[in-house]
């Protein structure tokens, strides 16, 4: 009997410890962000729709790369280095965005994409949802620009 009561007490203590650890909030994580959808690319614009009601949603990040095999890099509005590129709209969770490509530039260059296109360069663009703590949805691609 004494062995059984010791074993029962140890099991109860173990379960209490597990309950205390799991309820302390240390391991609390946020869920995935909804990715943008409905992407369209034209000679002058990037268009997409976002539907983000997550509490930690902060906005959208626009990305670019020059070659399919490269990693995406951030693009920003000319003269800024703000991330997210497009901040959260406090008035609505569902929005359709039209971004003019001539307003954008690579974060690490001092020239607009229009100027870089005039040098014969082409780019792939993408967009992702961005969270307050660096969370990110998948990158959703627009395709190559200039449109061919």
């Amino acid at each position: 009997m004494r062995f059984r009561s010791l074993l029962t007490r140890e099991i109860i203590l173990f379960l209490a410890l597990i309950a205390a650890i799991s309820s302390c909030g240390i391991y609390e994580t946020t869920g995935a962000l909804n990715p943008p959808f409905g992407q369209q690319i034209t000679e002058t614009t990037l268009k997409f729709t976002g539907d983000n009601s997550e509490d930690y949603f902060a906005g959208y990040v626009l990305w670019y790369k020059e070659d399919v095999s490269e990693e995406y890099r951030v693009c920003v509005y000319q003269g800024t280095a703000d991330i997210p590129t497009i901040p959260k709209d406090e008035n609505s969770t569902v929005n359709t965005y039209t971004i003019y490509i001539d307003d954008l530039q690579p974060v690490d260059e001092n020239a607009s994409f229009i100027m870089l296109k005039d040098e014969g360069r082409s780019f792939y663009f993408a967009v992702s949802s961005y969270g307050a703590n660096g969370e990110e949805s998948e990158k959703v691609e627009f395709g190559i620009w200039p449109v061919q």
Side-chain angles (χ1 to χ4, degrees):
M1 266 321 205
R2 183 166 180 211
F3 176 72
R4 182 178 282 175
S5 67
L6 280 175
L7 186 58
T8 304
R9 185 172 53 180
E10 288 175 333
I11 290 173
I12 291 171
L13 287 173
F14 177 75
L15 292 175
L17 179 63
I18 296 295
I21 289 173
S22 66
S23 66
C24 70
I26 292 173
Y27 301 103
E28 187 174 313
T29 59
T30 54
L33 289 163
N34 292 329
F37 59 94
Q39 302 76 8
Q40 298 174 353
I41 189 169
T42 70
E43 202 55 41
T44 57
T45 62
L46 303 172
K47 296 180 182 182
F48 68 93
T49 300
D51 182 6
N52 293 89
S53 59
E54 302 93 348
D55 292 340
Y56 51 95
F57 170 69
Y60 299 98
V61 176
L62 294 170
W63 304 88
Y64 79 97
K65 62 183 178 180
E66 289 190 67
D67 188 83
V68 170
S69 63
E70 291 179 353
E71 293 290 319
Y72 275 104
R73 295 174 292 205
V74 174
C75 55
V76 294
Y77 283 102
Q78 290 184 51
T80 72
D82 296 340
I83 297 175
T85 314
I86 303 163
K88 175 181 181 176
D89 181 348
E90 298 294 336
N91 299 318
S92 176
T93 61
V94 180
N95 290 299
T96 299
Y97 298 89
T98 300
I99 294 87
Y100 292 92
I101 296 171
D102 62 350
D103 291 337
L104 298 173
Q105 72 181 49
V107 74
D108 54 355
E109 293 194 41
N110 197 20
S112 71
F113 284 103
I114 298 293
M115 293 169 63
L116 298 173
K117 176 189 87 158
D118 291 345
E119 295 175 2
R121 294 165 69 180
S122 58
F123 303 93
Y124 294 86
F125 287 102
V127 62
S128 65
S129 301
Y130 187 78
N133 298 311
E135 302 91 350
E136 186 182 341
S137 73
E138 65 183 286
K139 291 176 181 70
V140 184
E141 297 183 341
F142 289 95
I144 194 164
W145 180 85
V147 178
Q148 299 174 355

